[in-house]
Amino acid sequence: TISNILNGKADPSFSTLDKLAKALGVSLEKLHADRPVLKSMRFRTNKSLTAREKAAKDTLPFTVFEKLNIYKNIEKYLPPHTTIDFSAYPSTPEEAARKLRQDLQVSSDAPVTSFCNKLASIGVKQFYFNFGLSKTFGISVNKEDGGPAIFVNTGTANVERWIFTIFHELGHIILQPESYDGKIQTEDEHSSEEAEANLFAAEFLLPSEVVREKVKGTKDFSFIRKVLEIKQEFSVSYKLVLMQYCRAYGRKEQDVMPKFQKMCGNYIHHDFVNHYEPNALPKDRFKFEDPNFRDCVFGALKNKDMDIDVAANLLNESEDSIEKELEFFSATTSTENLPF
């Protein structure tokens, strides 16, 4: 039945719609609501989608709109903070990446740690959840609709991809503000916009000059070990390390990548099928969450403008853990610093 409805082969009855609305806790009017207008959303998706993925694609603008609206409604509980004006940034990916490192007070050769906290410190909103689309990694929204905001698909392959997506989307916000037209478009992986965003993310996370210095003098298996060490130290994929190596030394990725995969496969006794990531980063090493949003939620809880069950749903945690953290939050937060 669901398959037929999603593929336009059948229309649900009124009783089915009524049951759906009740199960979802919404009115029939909301169930039939038009897609919300987000004039400054950038949403690129793969052309080939299953019926279920097409339904997820149609639902995502509603989810993005709702999450931003919730954030907007509780943002008053956030203490004054810095918001960076990205319009003043350089127009080239390399220079913009260096500028962001300076603004976040990260030295030119150091790994970027606590990236969620750092982005929150300059006013970038972040949302991490499963999109239900395997080939859409991220969405971003610009200032006109309450951004800058980044949405990362945690239903994709690995943590390395999540981290890269954060700064890939930020690259679009900084370098291509004119591309935020609110339309859902087919992804073109080979476009100049994608190339610029990829280069920005790569240079920010792992400057090519860092790779040049770290792999100097290595060869064969010592090179492989160094690449795997770099990917762990800088929390990136092995492909990004090799990409930056090729940029630093003027090599071609199509030559370096297969050779590395073959030699590394022999070294670690594993093949590279199905997007295998050697020495993959563990998910529990990072906390993918906007700390500003958490503070807003607990500010609303403390002011009794939000119920525990709502907060638990927003933060994807149990009500017991929310209650315990609320006690700590209330005891350690000075009311003089809050708007209530």
Side-chain angles (χ1 to χ4, degrees):
T1 300
I2 293 173
S3 178
N4 286 336
I5 292 171
L6 293 177
N7 285 287
K9 297 178 181 178
D11 292 321
S13 65
F14 178 83
S15 62
T16 298
L17 291 174
D18 186 50
K19 290 175 182 177
L20 281 171
K22 289 177 179 176
L24 294 170
V26 299
S27 65
L28 274 173
E29 290 76 13
K30 188 171 183 180
L31 200 64
H32 286 284
D34 292 332
R35 177 180 294 157
V37 177
L38 289 165
K39 296 180 179 179
S40 64
M41 178 181 69
R42 193 179 197 282
F43 185 176
R44 304 290 188 268
T45 187
N46 193 277
K47 184 177 181 179
S48 177
L49 299 174
T50 65
R52 189 178 294 276
E53 287 178 326
K54 288 177 183 177
K57 181 190 75 172
D58 292 339
T59 301
L60 267 174
F62 290 90
T63 305
V64 168
F65 179 85
E66 185 174 4
K67 286 182 179 295
L68 282 171
N69 198 44
I70 291 171
Y71 207 138
K72 180 181 178 181
N73 289 336
I74 61 175
E75 201 168 7
K76 61 186 178 181
Y77 297 107
L78 188 65
H81 61 285
T82 302
T83 301
I84 294 291
D85 180 11
F86 291 126
S87 65
Y89 263 51
S91 58
T92 63
E94 298 94 333
E95 292 177 351
R98 284 193 287 270
K99 172 65 174 168
L100 182 61
R101 275 184 166 255
Q102 292 171 3
D103 286 343
L104 295 180
Q105 299 181 344
V106 181
S107 63
S108 60
D109 59 352
V112 182
T113 58
S114 303
F115 39 83
C116 292
N117 287 16
K118 290 187 184 302
L119 289 181
S121 73
I122 58 173
V124 178
K125 297 171 182 173
Q126 306 152 66
F127 302 88
Y128 303 91
F129 60 97
N130 189 340
F131 289 7
L133 283 168
S134 61
K135 297 177 182 177
T136 296
F137 300 118
I139 297 172
S140 44
V141 175
N142 227 328
K143 291 189 295 184
E144 190 174 354
D145 292 302
I150 294 168
F151 297 77
V152 175
N153 184 5
T154 57
T156 56
N158 50 49
V159 172
E160 288 86 347
R161 167 60 69 175
W162 304 354
I163 295 171
F164 186 82
T165 297
I166 296 171
F167 297 100
H168 175 91
E169 292 298 328
L170 187 58
H172 286 309
I173 290 174
I174 293 173
L175 300 169
Q176 302 137 14
E178 71 285 349
S179 70
Y180 286 78
D181 54 11
K183 298 177 182 177
I184 301 177
Q185 299 182 25
T186 301
E187 182 74 88
D188 180 2
E189 295 180 0
H190 305 292
S191 69
S192 59
E193 289 183 353
E194 289 302 301
E196 285 186 353
N198 284 340
L199 181 52
F200 169 84
E203 277 298 307
F204 176 76
L205 289 167
L206 177 62
S208 57
E209 286 304 310
V210 171
V211 178
R212 175 189 290 276
E213 291 302 314
K214 285 185 175 289
V215 303
K216 188 181 293 184
T218 62
K219 62 180 181 178
D220 297 333
F221 290 114
S222 66
F223 174 77
I224 291 173
R225 286 195 295 270
K226 183 56 66 174
V227 168
L228 297 181
E229 287 176 9
I230 294 171
K231 81 171 291 295
Q232 284 289 324
E233 181 183 1
F234 284 81
S235 300
V236 297
S237 70
Y238 80 94
K239 287 186 176 181
L240 193 148
V241 179
L242 294 179
M243 170 187 167
Q244 293 300 77
Y245 163 75
C246 290
R247 291 192 65 246
Y249 284 95
R251 301 286 301 277
K252 294 181 179 179
E253 288 184 49
Q254 59 265 36
D255 296 333
V256 172
M257 200 73 69
K259 183 179 179 181
F260 176 87
Q261 290 175 342
K262 184 176 180 179
M263 291 186 65
C264 185
N266 293 332
Y267 176 64
I268 63 176
H269 307 293
H270 202 292
D271 56 33
F272 278 74
V273 298
N274 298 324
H275 306 288
Y276 173 71
E277 183 69 42
N279 289 11
L281 299 172
K283 294 179 182 179
D284 57 7
R285 181 189 295 183
F286 310 94
K287 189 174 182 65
F288 290 95
E289 179 185 69
D290 184 338
N292 287 346
F293 183 71
R294 173 173 285 270
D295 287 347
C296 288
V297 168
F298 278 96
L301 277 172
K302 185 176 179 181
N303 201 41
K304 303 187 184 307
D305 285 340
M306 184 180 292
D307 294 331
I308 292 286
D309 60 333
V310 175
N313 183 57
L314 290 175
L315 298 177
N316 195 29
E317 296 180 13
S318 69
E319 293 184 26
D320 287 343
S321 66
I322 294 295
E323 286 180 342
K324 290 177 182 178
E325 190 169 344
L326 178 59
E327 292 177 6
F328 176 81
F329 181 87
S330 300
T332 57
T333 305
S334 171
T335 55
E336 295 178 359
N337 297 326
L338 296 173
F340 48 82

